[in-house]
Amino acid sequence: MRAHARPEEYRHLTIAEIESLLQKTATGDRSAFLELYDRTSAKLFGVCLRVLNDRPEAEDVLQDVFVKIWRNADRYRANGLSPMTWLITVARNSAIDRLRARRAAGGATGGDISEAREVPDSDPGPEARAIALSERDRIRACLDELESDKAQAVRGAYLDGLSYRDLAERYAVPLNTMRTWLRRSLDKLKECLGR
Amino acid sequence: MSDAATYDDRDDAIRAAEYVLRLLDTAEMRAFEARLELEGALRGRVAFWEERFLPLIAGVPEVAPPPSVRREIERRIAPSPDTRQPKGARTGRLGRPARVSRARGWLAAAFVAAHVAALIIVTQLTPPPTTTGPVYVAEVQATARDLVLNASIDSSRSILTVARQSGTAGAGRDYELWVIPADGPAPLSLGLLDWDGETRRPVPQEVVEALQGGTFAVSDEPAGGSPTGAPTGEIVATAPLTTL
């Protein structure tokens, strides 16, 4: 068993392969689970690092993420998500929960919207590219149709776990105004994404 | 503000987006997740947003985690000596407690016999600030029955709080609530689910003492509750009691 994934491995993991590893994991197959870890942990660690911007915390969250995957592998199908989406969603949600707990405890806020970091596009490889390219362009194109501060607020919520309250503070608007703003923006986004 | 006032009527699609963005508060999120377990169309809306937003984060550079992370995960998923059992037997997201009791055997048998598919989720509630002892929570849903409820028991005040979100027993039937102790065969009744919305009621000391490692269950009984003092009808849902 490899100690950890080489960065390029996730690129060559097909949806069918992840799905098969998840199915085996759901039946308690530890070696399938560890292979899943070896082949996806670098991507999920990248996600945790992006949200938390703190290495020890990201390592800690990554552990929790894979323990959750081990325990809930039998559930992902019910969500109707593609397997990689599910894995990344578990990682992002766990990282955001940690970030919020840190903020609630009065720690460093992180994720300052004034320096909201755009996620660079690493080359997803030929298989992933075929699936991902149009989708990727679409969300970006649709965000571009929003006013820039509103697009930035949506990104801040998604990537930096900013709550309505955080966003209201950052943009110095009342909480209800921020809710209205964002809901209208989501309405527009939905219309654009469904086009 | 009119937008806020009319929000309750707004499209589920927007709420699903707020859920994906983690913008809902704890109570809203809990209610939404309860609906998610029951409504396939709503899961579809969440999947729509998850898939569409994903490209914003999926492009992050890969970073190999240190080997210590893998070792720690292996340690955490290692079977402990007395929990070796097929993984498929697990019923809750949190896995089983280390001790497998006779009560759980009883429960599993009732569960299988009834052919009930119950989805169980355990949520984190914020404990009331006055609480000093542990608060046990369980959230149960019986897919086939449209039954969704949240239960919490404050052990320091011996108060059970139950909020029914949906589901009623059939004509001439009542739902009865139980705590199944970790190491005793006899389930303890918490009374009937005979109200709508949220209620609070005191629970006896023997129930409080049974909460640690216990299981919360709902059974379908004749009107007025079990005639024998133990569940007689179908177990429609169960959930492990977990501390906050």
Side-chain angles (χ1 to χ4, degrees):
Chain A
M1 194 65 65
R2 294 171 294 261
H4 48 79
R6 299 195 304 277
E8 70 272 20
E9 285 185 350
Y10 155 68
R11 300 180 194 172
H12 302 297
L13 197 56
T14 65
I15 288 176
E17 281 174 314
I18 311 174
E19 196 141 346
S20 157
L21 289 173
L22 270 173
Q23 272 167 8
K24 289 178 186 165
T25 298
T27 66
D29 181 337
R30 276 161 213 280
S31 67
F33 170 71
L34 291 172
E35 187 181 349
L36 183 72
Y37 177 88
D38 290 337
R39 301 185 73 170
T40 60
S41 58
K43 176 56 77 178
L44 300 195
F45 191 46
V47 167
C48 293
L49 277 172
R50 166 60 187 80
V51 172
L52 286 161
N53 202 18
D54 177 295
R55 218 180 150 96
E57 260 188 336
E59 289 175 13
D60 209 37
V61 169
L62 187 66
Q63 272 184 32
D64 292 343
V65 166
F66 274 94
V67 171
K68 283 180 197 166
I69 291 167
W70 167 252
R71 290 180 175 161
N72 297 307
D74 52 346
R75 288 184 57 97
Y76 99 88
R77 258 179 192 289
N79 299 322
L81 299 176
S82 74
M84 204 61 211
T85 304
W86 184 69
L87 296 175
I88 289 176
T89 300
V90 172
R92 179 184 148 263
N93 286 345
S94 302
I96 284 177
D97 288 346
R98 178 65 64 98
L99 191 65
R100 296 230 171 126
R102 184 210 291 170
R103 284 183 189 141
T109 54
D112 187 336
I113 203 154
S114 63
E115 50 187 71
R117 294 152 289 154
E118 183 83 8
V119 174
D121 284 319
S122 60
D123 182 353
E127 308 92 332
R129 191 187 295 129
I131 306 158
L133 192 62
S134 59
E135 291 295 301
R136 189 177 68 201
D137 288 349
R138 180 144 284 278
I139 182 69
R140 299 218 159 125
C142 288
L143 282 170
D144 284 346
E145 286 186 14
L146 301 177
E147 289 165 53
S148 69
D149 52 353
K150 286 163 191 167
Q152 195 72 304
V154 173
R155 286 176 198 270
Y158 184 77
L159 292 168
D160 297 312
L162 299 177
S163 66
Y164 276 130
R165 190 166 301 282
D166 297 327
L167 290 167
E169 276 174 26
R170 309 251 162 157
Y171 290 97
V173 296
L175 190 57
N176 275 345
T177 306
M178 179 47 72
R179 281 183 204 273
T180 305
W181 261 32
L182 213 63
R183 284 171 184 157
R184 281 193 187 138
S185 302
L186 291 169
D187 242 344
K188 285 184 189 159
L189 261 188
K190 171 175 153 273
E191 194 267 323
C192 175
L193 289 167
R195 243 180 249 157
Chain B
M1 185 170 291
S2 64
D3 289 272
T6 59
Y7 177 65
D8 283 347
D9 301 324
R10 277 178 89 150
D11 194 352
D12 278 347
I14 302 305
R15 185 148 282 219
E18 291 179 295
Y19 175 73
V20 167
L21 293 173
R22 308 292 260 193
L23 287 169
L24 301 179
D25 66 33
T26 309
E28 289 171 329
M29 186 151 82
R30 222 168 61 228
F32 189 85
E33 286 181 339
R35 285 186 60 202
L36 271 185
E37 298 282 351
L38 297 170
E39 298 175 31
L42 203 58
R43 288 196 294 274
R45 292 188 184 283
V46 168
F48 169 89
W49 288 108
E50 292 285 14
E51 299 283 1
R52 297 308 177 102
F53 276 128
L54 189 78
L56 294 178
I57 201 162
V60 291
E62 297 187 5
V63 182
S68 58
V69 174
R70 191 180 192 277
R71 281 198 302 271
E72 186 58 22
I73 291 166
E74 281 192 84
R75 190 191 62 74
R76 284 174 64 182
I77 68 164
S80 58
D82 49 358
T83 53
R84 280 178 209 279
Q85 59 178 320
K87 189 161 169 275
R90 294 178 305 112
T91 56
R93 281 187 179 179
L94 300 181
R96 281 182 181 275
R99 202 164 22 158
V100 180
S101 67
R102 276 193 292 157
R104 282 177 201 286
W106 169 86
L107 192 65
F111 209 64
V112 171
H115 297 292
V116 171
L119 298 173
I120 294 158
I121 52 179
V122 176
T123 51
Q124 298 292 311
L125 303 176
T126 307
T130 53
T131 296
T132 53
V135 174
Y136 292 82
V137 296
E139 179 164 345
V140 297
Q141 316 196 356
T143 317
R145 301 290 192 114
D146 190 38
L147 176 66
V148 180
L149 57 86
N150 302 303
S152 68
I153 303 171
D154 180 340
S155 64
S156 62
R157 294 185 297 167
S158 301
I159 296 285
L160 163 74
T161 305
V162 176
R164 165 155 52 179
Q165 294 175 16
S166 66
T168 48
R173 308 289 295 176
D174 271 323
Y175 285 138
E176 191 161 358
L177 310 176
W178 306 87
V179 166
I180 299 161
D183 48 11
L188 302 167
S189 178
L190 294 171
L192 300 179
L193 184 60
D194 54 0
W195 62 86
D196 288 314
E198 183 169 308
T199 192
R200 286 162 185 263
R201 60 169 67 165
V203 295
Q205 187 58 28
E206 62 169 344
V207 168
V208 172
E209 286 164 5
L211 296 173
Q212 176 68 44
T215 299
F216 184 85
V218 183
S219 71
D220 184 5
E221 300 292 340
S226 163
T228 67
T232 61
E234 185 181 328
I235 304 292
V236 299
T238 65
L241 283 161
T242 54
T243 50
L244 289 169

